[in-house]
Amino acid sequence: MKAVYHPAQRAHYPRNFLSSGAPRTNPEQPERIDALLQGATAAGCECIEPDDFGLAPIAAVHSPEYIDFLAHIHTRWQRIEGASEEVVPNVHPNRDPDAGYPKSAVGQAGFHMYDTSCPVSADTFESARWSANSALHAARLLHEGERNTYALCRPPGHHASRDQAGGFCYFNNSAIAAQWLRDQGWRTAIIDVDLHHGNGTQSIFYTRDDVLTVSIHADPIRYYPFYWGHANERGAGAGEGYNLNLPLARQSGDEPYLAAIATGMARIASFAPDVVIVALGLDASVHDPFAGLAVTTRGFEQAGELCSSLAVPILLVQEGGYLCPELSDNLTAFLTGCGV
């Protein structure tokens, strides 16, 4: 299996975020890359660098307004007297459709960043762009005949919507890869196995019937992202019935996690896709710092087996999974289950 990653993805280094009102060290650190590369190598992956696909595939998912914002907001922010080193919003609109679009950097930060966990530094845009390139290159390898591929996407993407960053995410790598594969004529399904609901991915495809979205995650009733990921969210308009959320009780272990993946894969089988994208969050681990679910390393191997159970190519796109001694082993286990 090819593992795709570019060194420019290391440059983004968010320092802080607010959690329950308290400033904390941001866990989405570039050191994650070292652990993930170690896990991919141990599974027998061949690591390669992606090509530059330009902005067009990103703009097929994200609004030009939002892309321009991410590209230039840090430079604009630094012109504000006394501004913080990183762009962090301090005001948020209610996203009323009649609300105006502000010209100020502060106002636009609130418009395009729905929480405080996704600070923008001078390096964020390029790191996020190369993270998207990694997903695109891995998708192209599948289209050219590879069986399975792994995109080491960091920063992650599944919380990013069409025009908003959130939850450590800037460009939605899984959605960008899915749209590119759709443009090649492939029926595409996404199964998100991250600890947290893939709310950005859901919102991008919520009114569409050409991409099926499934998410297994900790129940958001008292957990991030709070407002999305509930079982009654089934899609809207043409997309009604094309979104499936399978929330789990906090601290759920292997058995309920694997049962939910099996349910999700059964729905995907009914969709008859040409390719399955796995939004691979390893933060469901019992050892992950977020401690929301309790999946074991063996459980991740079994999850990989389930996610690759259909006779179609699999694109693995890295989402969460934070620094702990077991992170490398958990990735190795999942990739092994997929049949590296």
Side-chain angles (χ1 to χ4, degrees), residues 23 50 89 100 106 122 147 215 217 222 228 231 236 288 314 316 336:
V106 172
R147 176 60 179 173
S215 183
H217 50 271
R222 296 184 184 274
W228 310 279
D288 191 86
I314 305 297
L316 304 169
T336 300

Side-chain angles (χ1 to χ4, degrees), residues 158 172 174-175 178-179 188-193 197-217 230-231 233-236 239-246 263-265 267-268 271 273 275-277 279:
H158 72 151
N172 194 310
S174 294
Q179 184 60 53
T188 304
I190 302 173
I191 183 166
D192 190 321
V193 299
H197 175 248
N199 58 298
T201 310
Q202 172 177 294
S203 70
I204 287 167
F205 297 112
Y206 203 64
T207 60
R208 292 171 52 172
D209 61 4
D210 61 332
V211 176
L212 177 69
T213 50
V214 176
S215 183
I216 292 95
H217 50 271
H230 303 277
E233 298 160 14
R234 301 177 51 249
E240 185 173 356
Y242 289 82
N243 185 78
L244 176 64
N245 288 329
L246 298 165
T263 298
M265 290 304 297
R267 179 66 59 87
I268 287 173
F271 182 70
V275 60
V276 173
I277 296 175

Side-chain angles (χ1 to χ4, degrees), residues 3 13-14 40 67 88 95 99-100 106 113 117 142-144 150 158 164 200 228 259 265 277 283 292 323 338:
Y13 200 150
I67 295 170
V88 180
R95 300 291 288 198
V106 172
M113 303 165 74
S117 66
L142 289 185
H143 194 255
E144 292 173 346
Y150 168 63
H158 72 151
Q164 286 189 298
W228 310 279
M265 290 304 297
I277 296 175
D283 44 359
L323 290 174
C338 286

Side-chain angles (χ1 to χ4, degrees), residues 1-5 46-51 53 133-151 180-181 184 186 275 313-315:
M1 184 187 295
K2 299 285 198 315
V4 188
Y5 152 75
E46 175 190 353
C47 295
I48 63 173
E49 292 186 11
D51 293 334
F53 287 72
N133 280 327
S134 291
L136 286 163
H137 195 108
R140 189 177 69 189
L141 289 172
L142 289 185
H143 194 255
E144 292 173 346
E146 294 279 343
R147 176 60 179 173
N148 298 331
T149 55
Y150 168 63
W180 188 88
L181 288 163
Q184 314 314 307
W186 281 20
V275 60
I314 305 297
L315 169 56

Side-chain angles (χ1 to χ4, degrees), residues 216 246-264 284 286 293-303 306:
I216 292 95
L246 298 165
L248 300 173
R250 293 277 294 279
Q251 303 307 316
S252 290
D254 291 355
E255 186 174 349
Y257 183 71
L258 294 170
I261 292 176
T263 298
V286 64
L293 294 175
V295 179
T296 67
T297 299
R298 171 58 181 154
F300 281 117
E301 183 173 355
Q302 293 172 294
L306 286 170

